[in-house]
Structures are given as C-alpha cells and as structure tokens.
Amino acid sequence: MKDHGLWPEGFEVPVPRSGRGERFDLLCALAESGRVDRAELVSVLVQASAVEPLAAEGLRCDPGALQRLAAEDALRRGWLPLLEESGGLVTAVADPLDQGAMDDFGHLAGVFIEPRLADPLDLLAAIHQAYGLSSEGEAEESAVPGTADRTMPEAADALGRLLAEVPEGAAAAVDDGPVERYAWELIAEAIRRRASDIHLEPLERRFRVRFRVDGRLQEMVSPPKRLQPAILSRVKLMAGISIAERRLPQDGRIQTAAGERSFDLRVSSMPSVHGETIVMRILDREGLRLGLPELGFLARDEAAFSRLIELPDGIFLVTGPTGSGKSTTLYAALHAINRPDRKLITVEDPVEYQLPGINQVQVRAEVGMTFAAALRAMLRQAPNIIMVGEIRDRETAEIAVNASLTGHMVFSTLHTNDAPSAVSRLTDIGVKPFLLSASLRGVLAQRLVRTVCEECAAPDSPDAAMLRIAGLAQDLVESARFRRGKGCPRCAGRGYYGRKGIFELFQIDEGARRLIDARAGLVDLRRHARGHGMRTMREDGMAKAVSGMTTIDEVLAVTVAESAGATN
C-alpha cells in the first residue's frame, strides 16, 4: 500500500491474519491499535481517493449483490457488494487505493464497480455478518478446502467431481462455484502430494495440469479445454494479478494454510502460443526449520560446513543449477548461526520465506533497488552476517568481497557446475584474484537426489554394468547396503519419498589461496582440492547409495563421471 501519511512513526506492520489480505489486515490493525483516530483514517483515505464515505449503518447487502463475490475474497480484499443498480455494483471497500484489483473484479463480474469507503472495522464486522462467518472470521476461510487426509485415488475422484459440476456449453465464468472449488482443491492436492510446484499448461488441443514431486513432473487429470480461460483467470485473481493483462508476464502470491501449516504460493503467469501458462511454486514455511543433519551431509562434511559458517568474516558460496536446493541450504545455515548477539540481513529476489529474527530486503530493480544498491545500504546497518541471494555481476561481487574484508561474513549463491568453478566465475566477472584469495572461505556445490521410501525399502543388488559405471571399489560393494523402494501408497508406487543433497565442499586453504593469486586454471584448482580431501558430488552420492539412502541410478542421473579436468 502506498504511504499517504497514514502510518504513525514506529507503527509495526502486522503479519496478516489467516483469511485476510495484507492491505485489509494492515488497515484493520491500524484502526484497532488506537494510534490513529478511525474517523481521521477514513478522512485521509477519502482525500487520497475522492471515494464517497459510507457510515456503518449503510453496510446493508442485497442478497443478489452478495452472490457476486465469494466469502474468502470478500475477507481477503476487504470488499462487500451492497447493491446492483443501473449496470453498476455498489461495493463497500476498506482500501479505495487498490484500484487495479477493483478494475479486475469489475471486468470479471461484467459490471462497473462503484466503490464506497467504509471504516475497516465496521466493514470487517459487516462481512462476518453478511456471509455468516465465525466470530473469528479465520478458521474456515484460512484453510485450503478439503485438506483432510485422503488417498490419492479419492483425491483424483474429488477433482473429477468438481469438474463434472461445471455446466456444459459455453466456458464457465471464473466465479462459478465449481471452478473456484477446483482451484483450491488443486492446491490442496498438490500440498498433500508434497509437490514443489503446480504447472497449468495450455496446449493446442488440451489443458495440461502437472505437479512436480521430488523433482519429477507428474501429469494429473486434465480439465476440459473449455475451462482453460476460467481456471487461469480464477488463479490469477486468487494471486492478486491482473486478469485483463494477457500479453506480459506477471507475478503474484497466494497465501493459504493446511491444518497448522502455512504455505505461500509464488505465482508466475507467462503468455504462450495457446494461452497463458501459469506456474505456482509452493513454499512450505516448515521447510525453514531444517537442521544441518536434515540436509543430507555425511559426518565429515557436516563438521566442515558447520566450522565454515561460524567464521567471523569472509565469503561462503553455494553453487548449483536452479532447483538444486541452494536457498534451502543457506536458510538452514542462517538458522543454525542466528543468535541474539548477531545481526543478520538478507537481500533476495524474491524473498521466498520470511525468517524470524532476520532482516530481509526485497530486490526491486524497477526502482533502483538492485542487489548492489541493497548491499551498499546494508553495510551501513552494521550487520554481522549478510546473505546475498545471488552474485550476478561484477558490482555485486566486488561489494560482497569488500564487505567480507571489513569484518562481515557474507553468504551467497552462484550458478556453476562444481565448487572450484566458482573461483573461475568470479575472476571472469572481474573480481581481482588477490582480493578473492583473501576473502573466499569455502564453496559448496550441490544437487538433489530422491531418497528411498522407508515404507517399502528392500535390499537391492545392482547389476555388474551399473556397478562398473558407478566406479565402486570391490571391497565397498561387498560391504554395501544397497536398497530400492518397491512402491507403496506412501510414495505413490514410485519407490522414492523426499530428496536430500549430495555435496562437493571446497575449503580454501593456503595452497588454494596461492593458486588463486597465481590465476591458476580450473584443472589445477580441482586437482589441489581433490588432493586435500574434497569429495566430488558423484563420490558423495555413491557413498549415500552404498548406505541405502538413495540409489546408484539416481546419483548417475544428476552427476557426471570424474576425469582429468572434469567439472562434474
């Protein structure tokens, strides 16, 4: 919400209550706080928007108008449809400055929205009464509908029944009950299946829905092609992005809950040949509570990693492709070292998870808040530990290096294939080798592999060809505890449940510093790292396959063989 002088100095922005959107909840909290007179708050909003105010006694709804807006949308937006007249829909609103969302709603409903400004607390009470919500107004609206435990066939049947309710003929309107329930049930089913994201993909002859579970895409029952516009528009409306704009990419967010767990869905829409494609990335806040052991480290690497992140200054990098778990590893590291006597600041694009006790900054390149600009400002905040979401250019890299040389511990990520390649990457973008050698403390490269389902795990005997490709020594094979999942309801018959990391930890010692100063090539850096105990990702993965955590073919799928000068 724009700052129109409404917020008193020192007013703390609250965490939105379940069921309410951030804008509406902020106004309710401000009115409840007593820091601002409620009449004055309404007066300032009237002056800023030129929208006519409405007294509490005027918040009476016509039943027909009320059907224009679902209860959870009314509570989330702070809107209450009052009356339809002359092609317009008179609607009480708490935030008349949210004009874009009102335009979208009007476009969707096929009417002209005539807003009337209401006191936020009066409006909240009227919404509860009009829709028959509980006195808390939270429990039923905050949870994803239908999140009770059920088997996967039952869930598929439920989705099918919802689609069957949609009328035949013309494409259903986005506010049709079955379409709305289908969208929420789709999210609920994705959460039940532990999906990391939901893909809605318009193809030429069909509308495809897929979940990514444990890194693999799985196709779901597809809705009829005729429902494509309605479902896409409904998801966009839920995410707070414009349904009128179909030519440009857009980003939004959906907040929801399942039981006692809270989820954020980061929504991305992008134009394609056959309609907009939408991806909803599911961010589980519980995932932030992972400790270092849950990441999948073997004992030796975990001890070394713990020692490196506790250093008072320097740079520690995590590398790997998109989706390799870099952010999760850094969040776990920050959680492990976050103590009351330390100040931690992060700059991210975007801020995916909100971390308790940590100051987080969102990159906004369109207004000049780049990684480099945020990093400069952060240094004036006297932090002990800094996390930069990604080092993308020379300016950001140089500021991070200088920060590490002036007593700060800096964590960041790079997109490189292996750990030693991070040195080459930073020198290639312009970091001077003598500064890099003085500041770099360690680099962790990683990938994710699926882990064997514990419910259906059984002893496994890989064939000779597989063992030969794996390159395992005979004595190691003889003592191995190979396992493979047979498939069960818990893992949906796939034999795998969950993922853990395989790692390559490059610790910068004096020998490595001399090589960096001398501008040594990648082959020499890698040879030095291997000679001083660095285990490659394939070696780390094979050690975990031998222990029964994962399988040989999983490790082979995400790593390449080591050879002279190879870079995993």
Side-chain angles (χ1 to χ4, degrees):
M1 180 181 295
K2 296 180 181 178
D3 184 359
H4 291 277
L6 300 177
W7 319 128
E9 185 176 352
F11 179 72
E12 183 177 353
V13 177
V15 175
R17 296 187 185 181
S18 297
R20 292 190 218 163
E22 182 177 352
R23 300 169 74 105
F24 185 34
D25 205 59
L26 186 58
L27 286 166
C28 289
L30 186 61
E32 289 172 342
S33 71
R35 301 287 297 276
V36 170
D37 182 78
R38 288 166 62 181
E40 182 182 349
L41 173 62
V42 171
S43 176
V44 171
L45 286 170
V46 167
Q47 294 174 24
S49 65
V51 170
E52 181 182 336
L54 190 66
E57 53 269 21
L59 295 172
R60 292 189 294 270
C61 305
D62 179 78
L66 200 62
Q67 294 177 5
R68 289 284 194 173
L69 190 65
E72 65 262 24
D73 285 334
L75 190 61
R76 180 163 59 91
R77 293 290 190 185
W79 296 342
L80 183 61
L82 303 176
L83 178 68
E84 287 190 74
E85 57 181 15
S86 304
L89 182 64
V90 179
T91 304
V93 302
D95 178 15
L97 305 175
D98 194 7
Q99 188 61 50
M102 281 189 280
D103 289 344
D104 284 348
F105 174 49
H107 176 79
L108 177 66
V111 296
F112 175 72
I113 302 301
E114 298 182 17
R116 299 288 187 271
L117 178 61
D119 176 282
L121 296 184
D122 290 342
L123 181 57
L124 180 63
I127 291 172
H128 286 168
Q129 182 176 2
Y131 288 97
L133 303 181
S134 66
S135 59
E136 299 297 326
E138 297 177 358
E140 295 180 358
E141 280 65 50
S142 65
V144 178
T147 52
D149 290 339
R150 63 175 72 165
T151 65
M152 291 182 184
E154 287 173 342
D157 290 345
L159 290 172
R161 286 195 299 272
L162 287 173
L163 291 173
E165 292 179 28
V166 181
E168 294 291 338
V174 70
D175 56 349
D176 277 343
V179 173
E180 180 180 350
R181 293 199 302 276
Y182 171 78
W184 283 116
E185 183 62 31
L186 190 68
I187 294 171
E189 178 62 11
I191 291 172
R192 279 191 292 269
R193 296 197 184 201
R194 303 175 298 105
S196 60
D197 41 60
I198 304 168
H199 295 251
L200 307 179
E201 302 168 314
L203 305 179
E204 182 179 6
R205 299 182 183 276
R206 64 191 184 101
F207 180 40
R208 183 168 66 183
V209 176
R210 295 193 288 178
F211 294 166
R212 189 183 297 277
V213 181
D214 292 336
R216 304 295 197 276
L217 282 170
Q218 303 173 7
E219 189 158 347
M220 305 298 294
V221 176
S222 297
K225 180 72 172 176
R226 65 185 175 87
L227 296 183
Q228 174 183 311
I231 293 172
L232 294 178
S233 294
R234 182 68 222 178
V235 171
K236 290 173 69 176
L237 190 65
M238 289 159 58
I241 57 182
S242 174
I243 63 172
E245 179 57 75
R246 297 184 176 90
R247 300 165 300 171
L248 298 173
Q250 297 185 86
D251 295 304
R253 189 176 290 265
I254 298 172
Q255 293 183 327
T256 190
E260 296 181 356
R261 298 170 63 190
S262 297
F263 294 86
D264 288 332
L265 280 76
R266 202 174 77 201
V267 182
S268 170
S269 72
M270 184 178 69
S272 68
V273 173
H274 302 294
E276 289 178 285
T277 177
I278 288 181
V279 176
M280 293 180 273
R281 185 174 184 189
I282 301 172
L283 306 173
D284 182 2
R285 297 178 189 174
E286 295 296 317
L288 296 179
R289 300 180 184 178
L290 287 177
L292 299 186
E294 285 75 34
L295 295 177
F297 284 112
L298 296 178
R300 188 187 71 176
D301 284 343
E302 183 178 338
F305 181 76
S306 298
R307 180 184 62 81
L308 287 168
I309 65 176
E310 288 284 356
L311 292 174
D313 56 32
I315 295 179
F316 184 84
L317 300 172
V318 180
T319 76
T322 300
S324 60
K326 300 187 299 295
S327 295
T328 299
T329 297
L330 282 181
Y331 284 139
L334 293 178
H335 181 71
I337 61 178
N338 184 18
R339 293 196 287 271
D341 62 338
R342 294 174 171 176
K343 180 167 184 175
L344 282 69
I345 306 182
T346 74
V347 53
E348 305 168 66
D349 183 21
V351 174
E352 293 186 346
Y353 299 97
Q354 295 182 8
L355 304 170
I358 296 177
N359 302 278
Q360 295 175 268
V361 178
Q362 169 73 54
V363 167
R364 298 188 184 279
E366 68 276 9
V367 295
M369 180 63 90
T370 61
F371 274 112
L375 191 47
R376 278 196 213 92
M378 287 161 60
L379 293 176
R380 294 192 288 271
Q381 297 284 313
N384 301 104
I385 297 162
I386 296 169
M387 189 192 92
V388 183
E390 183 183 349
I391 293 179
R392 298 177 178 176
D393 52 43
R394 177 178 177 176
E395 185 180 16
T396 304
E398 288 182 339
I399 297 171
V401 167
N402 290 331
S404 71
L405 293 173
T406 54
H408 304 87
M409 188 65 193
V410 180
F411 296 93
S412 192
T413 69
L414 277 178
H415 287 279
T416 63
N417 289 331
D418 66 349
S421 295
V423 173
S424 302
R425 171 66 177 152
L426 289 173
T427 54
D428 286 346
I429 65 176
V431 178
K432 294 179 174 60
F434 74 92
L435 293 176
L436 184 58
S437 66
S439 60
L440 190 60
R441 300 290 181 260
V443 184
L444 182 76
Q446 69 177 70
R447 301 290 188 276
L448 294 176
V449 293
R450 293 182 293 176
T451 53
V452 174
C453 175
E454 294 296 335
E455 293 290 327
C456 60
D460 185 38
S461 299
D463 59 34
M466 182 71 74
L467 293 172
R468 186 171 57 254
I469 295 171
L472 295 173
Q474 185 60 35
D475 59 338
L476 196 58
V477 172
E478 292 174 355
S479 62
R481 183 174 169 258
F482 294 118
R483 298 191 307 162
R484 183 177 295 275
K486 292 182 176 180
C488 66
R490 179 175 183 256
C491 62
R494 289 176 172 81
Y496 296 98
Y497 189 89
R499 291 190 292 173
K500 289 194 175 180
I502 58 174
F503 305 100
E504 179 175 291
L505 182 57
F506 180 23
Q507 302 179 66
I508 308 300
D509 56 14
E510 286 303 320
R513 290 190 181 94
R514 286 194 294 270
L515 288 172
I516 295 171
D517 280 336
R519 298 178 181 268
L522 180 57
V523 172
D524 291 332
L525 283 169
R526 190 164 187 79
R527 184 181 296 119
H528 173 85
R530 294 297 310 281
H532 288 75
M534 185 186 81
R535 182 166 40 205
T536 68
M537 278 183 283
R538 174 163 287 193
E539 290 170 340
D540 189 55
M542 289 303 168
K544 289 164 183 174
V546 165
S547 72
M549 178 191 294
T550 186
T551 59
I552 290 178
D553 43 323
E554 269 294 294
V555 177
L556 294 176
V558 299
T559 63
V560 297
E562 176 73 4
S563 62
T567 58
N568 260 21

